[in-house]
Amino acid sequence: MAQQILVVGAGIAGLATAVALQRRGHRVAIVESRTDTSSGAGISIWPNALAALDDIGLGDRVRAAGGPVAAGALRWRDGRWLRHPTADRIVNALGEPLVVVQRSALMDILTDALSDGTLRRGVAAQHIVATDSGVQVTLSDSTTCSVSGVIGADGINSVVARHLNGPLNHRYAGYTAWRGVAECALDPDLAGETLGAGLEFGHVPMGPNRTYWFATERAPQGNAAPDGELAYLQTRFGAWAQPIPALLAATDPAQVLRNDLYDRDQARRWSRGPVVLVGDAAHPMRPHLGQGGCQGLEDAAILARFVDHTADVSAAFAGFEAFRRRRVRSLVRESAWIGRVVNLRPALLSALASRATVLVPEAVLTHHLASVAARSAFVAPTLSEAGQARPAG
Ligand SMILES: Cc1cc2nc3c(=O)[nH]c(=O)nc-3n(C[C@H](O)[C@H](O)[C@H](O)COP(=O)(O)OP(=O)(O)OC[C@H]3O[C@@H](n4cnc5c(N)ncnc54)[C@H](O)[C@@H]3O)c2cc1C
């Protein structure tokens, strides 16, 4: 039965969920509190998420907009290899290369796939009340809307998650992340990460002529570099092996992003009745696996199947939560664990732990990577799994 659904938040998860539902014939509206559409550096879309995008009909558009990467190189700051798997090994394990794409290009593809008038910018969801027939949402433009279901895709500060769970605390993770795009090519063999004591620098080709990079370091919360973030990174990473100094030199300082990283209490509930969470609203995770956005894309494809195959929205939402929780929980834990290892104090400990990864056999690591990020790691519910969902008791 076609449902009328309001999606709160037009990030990756919200847009993809709306596209997936519309393609299955449901009536969807999205409200987004922000009016700006900034580009936000690059993003890695792993094959699990490409499979989810294929499921909603957009995989090839994303592949065409980005560049393929057979990542996996790991080097020490002086250029010594810690791991150097062959591209074939990575692609065989993952089912296809991952794709690195400009965030704005991904957002444009998702937005363009919506039917006209679906998305309203500059409107926030403020209050949510369950009614006998569905849900009533009060919006910041003083209107209310009545729908059969609400999907909270409103990110780590989600009001919908708080509606379901009460207060959810944030804690600073103790370190900050920078992101940028260098206007130069990267040798595909170097796609991956370079580590130092308490520091990491990731670099992947974003198409033939540009390179997406990111870096993390422990720092006091809310800090900003007095002489600019790029100048600071050049002092921290200037003596590292190439291509890192060259990448920083080829980056526009105005485009460098700096974000302190936060952990949020996990949501005990992702759904109650006709209200459900997707993406960071449900399961915020640290960025070390490059899976936050990818999991939002998996959520989108899978939630749409549950809604499609279940007459009752509440049952569909509860079925989605039960189906998704286990996979996502392990990724949240693993991302946090990697972040703790990279940022161990004293920094010497992080250096030892990072370098100890050379002791893990390549086959074990590749097998694990495949369980997280291969095409086959995206598992959609069967018709009967989706069709047998029941409302949570
Ligand atoms: C440094 C860094 C690197 C990363 N790298 C990767 C990567 O390579 N690959 C990957 O998959 N992931 C990566 N991630 C994670 C990824 O960016 C996030 O998981 C993803 O963007 C979350 O998308 P979302 O749609 O769930 O939430 P968001 O992007 O937070 O979107 C939520 C939207 O909801 C809106 N909103 C909030 N409240 C309201 C309201 N009340 N009413 C209406 N609208 C509202 C917000 O304005 C926002 O637009 C990285 C993250 C960081 C910090």
Side-chain angles (χ1 to χ4, degrees), residues 7-15 31-34 42-46 49 103 107 121 123-126 153-160 177-179 212 214-216 259-261 278-281 283-297:
V7 177
V8 179
I12 295 169
L15 290 171
V31 288
E32 164 57 51
S33 53
R34 286 171 30 186
I43 185 164
S44 307
I45 303 297
W46 289 84
R103 274 187 189 244
M107 301 301 275
R121 292 193 183 277
V123 180
Q126 293 181 323
D154 46 347
I156 191 168
N157 295 311
S158 170
V159 296
V160 184
W178 293 267
R179 283 173 282 173
Y212 165 53
F214 63 89
T216 66
N259 298 98
D260 285 347
L261 299 179
V278 293
D280 278 13
H283 43 69
M285 63 182 79
R286 296 192 196 177
H288 303 281
L289 290 171
Q291 278 289 333
C294 291
Q295 289 305 307
L297 293 168

Side-chain angles (χ1 to χ4, degrees), residues 128 135 149-152 160 163-164 270-277 317:
I128 297 163
V135 198
V150 167
I151 298 175
V160 184
H163 164 79
L164 294 176
W270 291 10
S271 73
R272 187 172 64 229
V275 180
V276 71
L277 304 174
F317 289 177

Side-chain angles (χ1 to χ4, degrees), residues 39-44 100-103 179-181 206 212:
S39 76
I43 185 164
S44 307
V100 177
V101 61
Q102 181 92 32
R103 274 187 189 244
R179 283 173 282 173
V181 174
M206 191 166 81
Y212 165 53

Side-chain angles (χ1 to χ4, degrees), residues 38-312:
S38 48
S39 76
I43 185 164
S44 307
I45 303 297
W46 289 84
N48 60 308
L50 291 170
L53 283 163
D54 286 338
D55 200 66
I56 63 177
L58 296 178
D60 284 342
R61 263 183 251 175
V62 173
R63 287 183 190 89
V69 175
L74 192 62
R75 296 188 313 156
W76 193 243
R77 52 173 291 173
D78 56 10
R80 262 177 295 162
W81 292 101
L82 299 176
R83 315 202 73 88
H84 192 188
T86 63
D88 279 358
R89 183 177 193 113
I90 295 286
V91 172
N92 287 341
L94 295 177
E96 67 174 310
L98 65 115
V99 167
V100 177
V101 61
Q102 181 92 32
R103 274 187 189 244
S104 58
L106 174 65
M107 301 301 275
D108 286 349
I109 290 168
L110 294 169
T111 308
D112 291 349
L114 294 168
S115 42
D116 288 349
T118 304
L119 172 57
R120 287 170 66 200
R121 292 193 183 277
V123 180
Q126 293 181 323
H127 297 291
I128 297 163
V129 181
T131 62
D132 289 344
S133 55
V135 198
Q136 195 169 66
V137 182
T138 309
L139 302 173
S140 56
D141 61 0
S142 305
T143 59
T144 56
C145 72
S146 297
V147 285
S148 46
V150 167
I151 298 175
D154 46 347
I156 191 168
N157 295 311
S158 170
V159 296
V160 184
R162 285 172 178 79
H163 164 79
L164 294 176
N165 292 276
L168 293 167
N169 295 318
H170 285 69
R171 284 167 302 282
Y172 178 46
Y175 54 101
T176 201
W178 293 267
R179 283 173 282 173
V181 174
E183 295 298 328
C184 64
L186 178 76
D187 173 357
D189 200 38
L190 294 180
E193 286 192 29
T194 307
L195 300 177
L199 291 169
E200 71 178 328
F201 197 103
H203 31 74
V204 278
M206 191 166 81
N209 304 316
R210 297 196 296 165
T211 302
Y212 165 53
W213 58 259
F214 63 89
T216 66
E217 185 186 25
R218 250 180 200 281
Q221 185 177 3
N223 243 23
D227 298 325
E229 302 301 332
L230 186 64
Y232 174 75
L233 293 171
Q234 283 170 319
T235 64
R236 295 299 281 142
F237 294 96
W240 284 35
Q242 292 293 4
I244 293 161
L247 292 176
L248 293 174
T251 299
D252 175 358
Q255 301 299 322
V256 175
L257 300 173
R258 175 179 180 152
N259 298 98
D260 285 347
L261 299 179
Y262 288 87
D263 293 321
R264 193 199 71 188
D265 287 348
Q266 287 304 306
R268 290 176 313 285
R269 277 180 175 278
W270 291 10
S271 73
R272 187 172 64 229
V275 180
V276 71
L277 304 174
V278 293
D280 278 13
H283 43 69
M285 63 182 79
R286 296 192 196 177
H288 303 281
L289 290 171
Q291 278 289 333
C294 291
Q295 289 305 307
L297 293 168
E298 285 199 22
D299 285 344
I302 291 172
L303 181 60
R305 283 178 179 242
F306 272 97
V307 172
D308 212 35
H309 297 314
T310 317
D312 175 43

Side-chain angles (χ1 to χ4, degrees), residues 317-339:
F317 289 177
F320 162 79
E321 175 176 1
F323 188 83
R324 286 287 289 152
R325 256 191 185 277
R326 201 158 133 225
R327 168 156 166 80
V328 173
R329 188 189 299 132
S330 67
L331 300 178
V332 170
R333 284 193 187 141
E334 187 175 337
S335 313
W337 181 81
I338 298 171

